[in-house]
Amino acid sequence: MTDPQTVLTERVQQALAGAFGPEYANADPLIRPSQFADFQANVAMSLGKRLRRPPREVAEEIANRLADFPGTVEVSGPGFLNITLDSDWIAAQASQTFEDERIGVPTVTPPQTVVIDYSAPNAAKEMHVGHLRTTIVGDALARLNEHLGNTVIRQNHLGDWGTPFGMLIEHLLDIGEDSAVAQLEAGMGTEFYQAARVKFDGDESFKIRSRQRVTTLQGGDPETMRLWHVFMDATIRYFNKVYAMLGVTLTDDDIAGESMYNPMLDKTCDDLEAMGVAVHSDGALCVFPPGFTGSDDKPLPLIIRKSDGGYGYASTDMAAIRYRTDDLKADRILYVVGADQALHFRMVFAAARLAGWLPETSSAEHVQIGMMLGKDGKRFKTRSGESVKLTDLLDEAIERASAAIDDRGYDEETKHEIAHAVGMGAVKYADLSISHDSEYVFDFDRMLGFTGNTGPYMQYAQARIRSIFRKGGYDPRAVRGPIRIGEPAERSLALHLLGFGTVVEQATMLNEPHRLAAYLFETASLFSTFFEECPVVKEGVDPDVRASRLALCALTLRVLETGLSLLGVATPERM
Ligand code: ARG
């Protein structure tokens, strides 16, 4: 590991243990970037209090033990340790990172099995903009985990089962299979659902047919199952269209919809009941995980079988969590789902712990997705109040991107490719550059902007470095270094590039891709300053200095390319 913050943490911990005893060997030295030096360590402040000694004195003692350190350590103010690294050390580490195929990103040992539940649109309704966000964030988490060497199992928990399918199949029969398929493939699931609903509410014989159809569906009647497949296959073709536009890694193999758990639900409930984890309450079968109470202070039930014998969302999630730990052998299960389902997941996780279906060694984590808002601050909708069809929304992003890159004289095909990359990059990066649980306003103008922390800005930053190489007639892969440090801008950039591995690791472990986005944004701006202040390809630059600067350009490019691809954002050659 060459990341200075990690190296410093270890060194200061050694100093702490040496000065104050082995119990401090794992204390957090509180190392942060500093305005006055490269880093500052704030540990002496809290430690002083604990040891009842002046923090300044504690700081001096730590500083004295950091003698053979590749830099200088100064005590300042009430007891801060200001740490400045030797430029030679930074240069050597940067050169080493440059030689490293993984540019400092570690591989986890042993690898973990990480199940990621994301996207999960509902077949009986339109895939909405909230599903877009869980799809994008989940996909980034899948890519990040795979890059660290974990085994990732994607699970697209489609809403593809339940009582509405009775009326949906009857409506499909009424309008004919072909026209139903055409509608569903075109993403008109909402209209289809609404038309069925109107009949269900207004037409008694349709209602009766629909209810019977639910029974034959649950009974596994072959013809009904065939119709269900016709419905689902067409719907999935539409979902796949959205995934393909976005460049999301989900495939049909990752589909593990609610229907998959249907055959397991009886046993799930029976086992929970036999263990005494589930009990009968008002005719329903419920788990009352400790610590959950309603507004009336009564214990809150997780209903796993309704009083009419039917199963619901919670039943399926109980079966799913058992399957994921028992059969898929998950070490971690990530549920990338809307924040409004927080209570549901806390209860499912608690119930699974009670049942022993989520062992101590495994974790279940709800990666909460914040609501997408319209410019009016309310849930995102079109002007007519309808929810927005995703393919239309994505098409609009591509069109707008196309207008923004209009005047560069590319041929039609190239232009379309770039517009696609920029449009989808803008939409995806907007989701990934802010924390996944914050609500945010869906605003094309902002996300397609070429300034600020946006997809197009980041894509432009990497395309610009490629053009530096292209125009100078250099191949970024043939550049050799070593990296040396002269100017302050070279130093800041090189130091920052050393932190890539740590940020990738943290973004993965904490399920926070926006940390990586923020790091990449900082990379791009440090690169801009470097490129303004340090001539690279200009005539008259000393050959060694040029070689070093070209290596810094190449390393920056690799960091941006790798980082963006881990976020699932395309890196077009030109823009
Ligand atoms: N289909 C659900 C929805 O649209 C999300 C499913 C999330 N996954 C789960 N295991 N419950 O709200």
Side-chain angles (χ1 to χ4, degrees):
M1 281 287 275
T2 50
D3 172 29
Q5 205 153 329
T6 312
V7 173
L8 284 176
T9 300
E10 278 167 17
R11 293 291 180 99
V12 176
Q13 281 174 337
Q14 282 163 12
L16 285 170
F20 308 109
E23 66 268 35
Y24 292 100
N26 290 314
D28 183 355
L30 303 171
I31 291 173
R32 308 278 180 264
S34 161
Q35 270 179 289
F36 310 105
D38 291 331
F39 296 99
Q40 64 184 52
N42 300 342
V43 65
M45 317 296 287
S46 53
L47 198 56
K49 237 177 252 159
R50 180 121 65 104
L51 299 172
R52 295 175 189 285
R53 286 175 55 185
R56 234 193 122 84
E57 213 179 280
V58 173
E60 297 284 359
E61 223 171 304
I62 300 170
N64 289 340
R65 299 225 170 217
L66 286 170
D68 65 337
F69 177 78
T72 55
V73 184
E74 270 171 14
V75 177
S76 87
F80 299 113
L81 288 160
N82 287 349
I83 300 168
T84 307
L85 293 158
D86 289 340
S87 293
D88 288 347
W89 185 83
I90 297 174
Q93 300 301 313
S95 299
Q96 202 180 311
T97 305
F98 180 74
E99 296 299 329
D100 173 12
E101 216 164 69
R102 292 184 58 83
I103 45 178
V105 180
T107 341
V108 285
T109 41
Q112 289 193 308
T113 298
V114 185
V115 169
I116 311 184
D117 176 328
Y118 69 103
S119 193
N122 301 312
K125 291 187 199 137
E126 159 70 294
M127 185 178 186
H128 61 74
V129 88
H131 291 120
L132 191 63
R133 203 169 171 197
T134 104
T135 305
I136 290 166
V137 172
D139 209 51
L141 293 174
R143 290 166 187 262
L144 283 163
N145 273 285
E146 271 170 351
H147 191 62
L148 285 186
N150 288 325
T151 305
V152 171
I153 305 178
R154 294 163 175 77
Q155 295 281 280
N156 192 351
H157 194 91
L158 293 183
D160 62 355
W161 201 248
T163 44
F165 281 86
M167 72 177 193
L168 292 170
I169 290 173
E170 286 304 315
H171 181 57
L172 178 142
L173 286 171
D174 286 1
I175 65 172
E177 286 181 36
D178 290 347
S179 89
V181 165
Q183 275 187 35
L184 294 166
E185 276 181 349
M188 292 169 63
T190 311
E191 289 85 343
F192 190 97
Y193 178 86
Q194 279 164 355
R197 184 83 228 180
V198 167
K199 282 196 278 178
F200 188 87
D201 290 337
D203 175 345
E204 198 52 37
S205 70
F206 183 82
K207 195 181 224 167
I208 293 169
R209 275 198 276 148
S210 299
R211 293 214 163 122
Q212 280 164 352
R213 190 57 78 175
V214 175
T215 315
T216 52
L217 182 66
Q218 275 161 354
D221 166 59
E223 174 59 10
T224 305
M225 286 307 293
R226 186 188 69 78
L227 294 167
W228 176 81
H229 275 294
V230 169
F231 180 92
M232 276 316 300
D233 291 352
T235 302
I236 289 169
R237 279 197 288 280
Y238 171 66
F239 294 158
N240 283 339
K241 229 180 276 175
V242 174
Y243 297 151
M245 282 180 89
L246 285 168
V248 155
T249 58
L250 283 170
T251 69
D252 286 353
D253 291 342
D254 306 315
I255 292 175
E258 294 180 10
S259 63
M260 185 182 109
Y261 300 101
N262 186 47
M264 307 177 199
L265 299 180
D266 284 335
K267 186 162 169 19
T268 303
C269 287
D270 292 349
D271 289 352
L272 287 170
E273 195 182 346
M275 276 187 269
V277 169
V279 293
H280 290 273
S281 170
D282 291 335
L285 188 62
C286 306
V287 182
F288 292 93
F292 292 88
T293 46
S295 48
D296 50 2
D297 271 351
K298 279 208 202 125
L300 218 52
L302 182 73
I303 301 175
I304 55 170
R305 189 162 54 213
K306 297 179 212 159
S307 51
D308 65 3
Y311 294 116
Y313 193 54
S315 329
T316 311
D317 263 323
M318 287 307 293
I321 200 165
R322 183 189 210 178
Y323 168 76
R324 289 167 182 181
T325 52
D326 276 7
D327 296 32
L328 301 181
K329 308 270 179 258
D331 297 305
R332 292 177 79 189
I333 314 172
L334 311 182
Y335 292 80
V336 189
V337 189
D340 53 352
Q341 296 187 29
L343 179 64
H344 165 76
F345 284 114
R346 280 198 290 128
M347 293 183 77
V348 167
F349 301 164
R353 291 264 184 231
L354 286 178
W357 295 348
L358 185 60
E360 282 300 319
T361 48
S362 300
S363 72
E365 300 156 50
H366 180 193
V367 180
Q368 301 190 17
I369 299 298
M371 202 172 29
M372 227 37 149
L373 306 173
K375 278 191 181 169
D376 56 0
K378 302 203 183 101
R379 191 184 275 275
F380 185 72
K381 290 202 167 126
T382 52
R383 228 174 287 163
S384 59
E386 303 276 289
S387 68
V388 182
K389 199 156 102 185
L390 284 192
T391 40
D392 290 350
L393 192 77
L394 297 179
D395 277 333
E396 185 176 345
I398 297 170
E399 254 164 59
R400 285 176 181 248
S402 182
I405 54 165
D406 217 342
D407 42 33
R408 286 165 218 241
Y410 296 128
D411 62 71
E412 275 308 306
E413 200 185 317
T414 312
K415 198 175 132 185
H416 184 77
E417 255 169 47
I418 299 175
H420 187 101
V422 173
M424 294 305 92
V427 171
K428 294 177 88 173
Y429 194 85
D431 275 337
L432 295 164
S433 57
I434 53 158
S435 69
H436 57 71
D437 56 351
S438 58
E439 298 189 335
Y440 94 84
V441 174
F442 192 93
D443 177 358
F444 270 132
D445 293 331
R446 191 178 44 82
M447 56 194 181
L448 278 158
F450 276 76
T451 52
N453 193 10
T454 67
Y457 172 79
M458 293 307 306
Q459 289 173 320
Y460 179 71
Q462 61 82 38
R464 180 170 169 229
I465 305 178
R466 291 174 190 256
S467 89
I468 294 167
F469 282 104
R470 213 169 34 238
K471 288 185 185 144
Y474 297 102
D475 174 357
R477 278 155 307 182
V479 166
R480 278 293 159 264
I483 292 170
R484 303 145 167 257
I485 285 173
E487 301 300 316
E490 292 173 303
R491 192 177 184 285
S492 314
L493 177 61
L495 182 58
H496 180 73
L497 292 172
L498 297 181
F500 183 62
T502 303
V503 88
V504 168
E505 202 179 14
Q506 280 180 349
T508 313
M509 294 312 177
L510 302 171
N511 307 321
E512 290 185 341
H514 77 278
R515 286 172 183 260
L516 174 56
Y519 170 89
L520 296 175
F521 181 58
E522 175 78 2
T523 308
S525 66
L526 288 170
F527 181 81
S528 281
T529 312
F530 155 78
F531 198 66
E532 265 161 43
E533 292 176 7
C534 307
V536 181
V537 285
K538 265 208 199 116
E539 238 173 278
V541 177
D542 171 86
D544 286 346
V545 172
R546 189 197 310 275
S548 162
R549 289 181 181 170
L550 281 170
L552 269 177
C553 291
L555 182 55
T556 306
L557 178 59
R558 276 163 67 201
V559 163
L560 291 178
E561 265 182 328
T562 310
L564 288 173
S565 79
L566 289 175
L567 294 177
V569 172
T571 50
E573 191 60 50
R574 320 158 185 258
M575 275 176 71

